[in-house]
Amino acid sequence: MNTIKKLLDFSKPVEVTGDVTLSFAKIVPSKADVLSPTAATSVSYFLHVNVSRCTNLASADTLGLSDAFVILRLNNTQFARTDVIRDSLNPVFENESFEIPILCGLSSPTLTCEVWDMDNLSVGDFLGNCTINVANLSLAPFSDDDIQLMEVTTPLKNCGKVSIPKRFPSNVDSMHKCPSV
């Protein structure tokens, strides 16, 4: 009975450890690439984000591993979620690239990267997050044909309030996923 109770104890927070590695590019679409006249006047550029890997994550599962995935938010709005990499404290994400529209007039876009452990019986365990001021990345603009990615590795922290989703969306295709470069 105590073993089952211990397995189902979700009240204990996981210690935040590890790093996340992301790659960035700034893609400025030509007028011909823009799908609608509204987008042509409202989108300044697209932030191309490639989620590469996490290292030294905390163990969140009873067997000493984690089932990690990453959520990307721009100014607190969720834009993307990676697939789950099971049974690893050093997950490597393949083909996890996203293009996030940065609207004209958005003076300080802030990207938050949250790392979570997927659980079958609950929402999941928070493993850490990091916040990146996009304006401080000093990204040079590229066209879709000639992208050069800037890689950034940053430590995971417990940076303030994290909004816990009621459930994680299962259809990541609807979340701005794009082919990896």
Side-chain angles (χ1 to χ4, degrees):
M1 183 68 174
N2 280 343
T3 305
I4 293 172
K5 188 175 181 179
K6 186 177 178 183
L7 287 172
L8 297 176
D9 182 15
F10 305 119
S11 61
K12 173 174 65 166
V14 175
E15 179 186 350
V16 174
T17 63
D19 300 312
V20 62
T21 301
L22 307 167
S23 300
F24 298 96
K26 180 179 185 177
I27 301 171
V28 180
S30 67
K31 296 248 186 241
D33 293 333
V34 177
L35 300 176
S36 73
T38 306
T41 58
S42 62
V43 175
S44 176
Y45 63 93
F46 290 93
L47 180 65
H48 181 95
V49 182
N50 182 53
V51 180
S52 302
R53 65 188 172 277
C54 296
T55 54
N56 302 316
L57 292 178
S59 167
D61 293 340
T62 55
L63 298 178
L65 298 171
S66 290
D67 302 323
F69 66 97
V70 173
I71 292 177
L72 297 176
R73 298 180 190 273
L74 182 72
N75 292 359
N76 296 321
T77 300
Q78 182 175 331
F79 271 89
R81 193 203 97 169
T82 66
D83 292 332
V84 176
I85 304 297
R86 298 215 176 267
D87 302 327
S88 179
L89 299 179
N90 299 293
V92 175
F93 298 92
E94 295 182 16
N95 300 317
E96 297 288 359
S97 294
F98 308 92
E99 289 187 358
I100 301 171
I102 305 297
L103 302 179
C104 295
L106 187 59
S107 60
S108 59
T110 302
L111 182 75
T112 302
C113 173
E114 299 173 359
V115 181
W116 290 84
D117 170 67
M118 178 62 77
D119 286 336
N120 292 328
L121 300 174
S122 70
V123 169
D125 297 310
F126 174 73
L127 297 178
N129 63 4
C130 63
T131 302
I132 298 168
N133 184 332
V134 175
N136 290 346
L137 289 174
S138 302
L139 298 171
F142 292 97
S143 68
D144 273 333
D145 299 330
D146 181 33
I147 297 176
Q148 294 180 6
L149 296 174
M150 175 178 155
E151 187 172 275
V152 174
T153 299
T154 184
L156 292 172
K157 300 177 182 174
N158 191 351
C159 299
K161 185 178 175 184
V162 175
S163 59
I164 299 173
K166 300 273 188 267
R167 69 176 190 78
F168 294 112
S170 59
N171 184 2
V172 290
D173 292 334
S174 65
M175 302 190 87
H176 311 284
K177 207 167 209 182
C178 66
S180 183
V181 288

